[in-house]
Amino acid sequence: MSSFREDLLRGQVALVTGGGSGIGAGIAAALAGHGARVAICGRTQAKLDAVAEGIVAAGGECLALAADVRRPEALAAVTAAIEARWGQLDVLVNGAAGNFLAPAAALSANGFGTVVDIDLKGTFNACKAALPLLERRGGVVINISATLHYAGTPLQAHAASAKAGIDALTRTLAVEWGPLQIRVNAIAPGPIAGTEGMERLAPGAIRERMTAQIPLRRFGTIAEIAEAVLFMVSPASAYMTGAVVVVDGGQWLTGTNFVGLFG
Ligand code: COA
């Protein structure tokens, strides 16, 4: 059940990168469920098609376009397809991300760079590709960040560095694109259940101990991140730009960052 009106986004068009699974797929469905026409992109067409089918079955419109955010020309093709189909773009959600657990000492330059390429440079690439459409009518960019870099998170040198860059990019673009009436904000999710990220980063046995360290004593849900997105694309946040909104059940405030749990 959403807290927002079903027609909140009627007449709007959104693009969600990383929309083929996890948080990105949940955000795409929520945007469509509130009246937006939604394009999703990711690397695997079959995953995108499955998400699009669900959106269409629920009465929405969805364009599923395979594109790797590391390739600016692939993103240019995505925005061209959106323009051809709907003639506008109002919302960009940068959800594409890649991650794994690895100590910095065992991380190759390519391993570090791959995550920076997907998360940080991919976010920049998508923002650049979307700008010509967003600046026509004004719009909203939401970058999916993290809390990894608020303290030192072991085994996450690559992802924490990339997400820190995303926060910096969010603030800079908010300043540069504010006069174009493009708001640029970020959401920093904590541990969210049912995501590939959590499967990779929190294997079964660790999960119970992680839960005990979250002030709200549970993992978040994809729907709760989607609700935050809806708030941040709605007129309720019309004067908000350059903000990084943490949605983590208070987890990072405990200062634990799950240090020690990884053994
Ligand atoms: N530990 C250490 N290094 C790793 C690693 C791990 N678990 N997984 C990948 N790498 C390194 C590889 O060894 C390679 O470096 P090398 O060439 O020096 O050996 C580099 O990262 C690139 O790996 P590759 O598998 O070629 O990249 P890819 O583009 O196919 O995959 C990843 C990208 C690595 C991010 C992969 O984990 C992925 O596709 N993830 C997508 C989904 C995801 O992570 N979701 C969670 C979001 S929180």
Side-chain angles (χ1 to χ4, degrees), residues 21 43 47 68 70 95-103 106-112 114-115 118-119 158 163 195-198 200-201:
S21 63
R43 279 183 295 174
K47 286 166 79 175
D68 188 327
R70 289 172 283 191
N99 201 2
F100 48 80
L101 293 175
L107 196 55
S108 69
N110 191 39
F112 186 93
T114 296
V115 171
I118 298 170
D119 294 23
H158 44 317
K163 296 297 192 180
T195 61
E196 186 175 344
M198 269 304 117
R200 282 168 181 255
L201 306 183

Side-chain angles (χ1 to χ4, degrees), residues 6 8 23 27 57 74 82 102 104 106 113 116 120 127-128 134 141-142 145 152 176 192 213 237 239 254:
E6 267 180 24
L8 176 72
I23 291 175
I27 290 170
I82 290 169
V116 170
L120 175 55
C127 287
K128 280 297 294 285
L134 290 176
V141 176
I142 295 175
S145 184
E176 290 193 4
I192 303 300
Q213 295 186 352
S237 63
Y239 201 52
T254 65

Side-chain angles (χ1 to χ4, degrees), residues 28-138:
L31 294 172
H34 289 78
R37 291 157 288 171
V38 178
I40 53 176
C41 72
R43 279 183 295 174
T44 314
Q45 187 69 50
K47 286 166 79 175
L48 297 167
D49 287 342
V51 174
E53 268 172 37
I55 287 175
V56 170
E61 263 188 77
C62 186
L63 198 52
L65 303 160
D68 188 327
V69 294
R70 289 172 283 191
R71 295 181 51 230
E73 66 281 8
L75 289 167
V78 166
T79 52
I82 290 169
E83 184 173 25
R85 171 88 170 255
W86 294 309
Q88 68 186 72
L89 180 65
D90 307 279
V91 174
L92 167 65
V93 179
N94 282 301
N99 201 2
F100 48 80
L101 293 175
L107 196 55
S108 69
N110 191 39
F112 186 93
T114 296
V115 171
V116 170
D117 282 347
I118 298 170
D119 294 23
L120 175 55
K121 291 167 75 175
T123 296
F124 174 77
N125 292 339
C127 287
K128 280 297 294 285
L131 179 62
L133 287 176
L134 290 176
E135 70 181 346
R136 284 190 199 158
R137 298 158 38 102

Side-chain angles (χ1 to χ4, degrees), residues 174-195:
V175 171
E176 290 193 4
W177 295 357
L180 303 172
Q181 302 309 311
I182 300 171
R183 298 190 293 116
V184 185
N185 292 297
I187 292 174
I192 303 300
T195 61

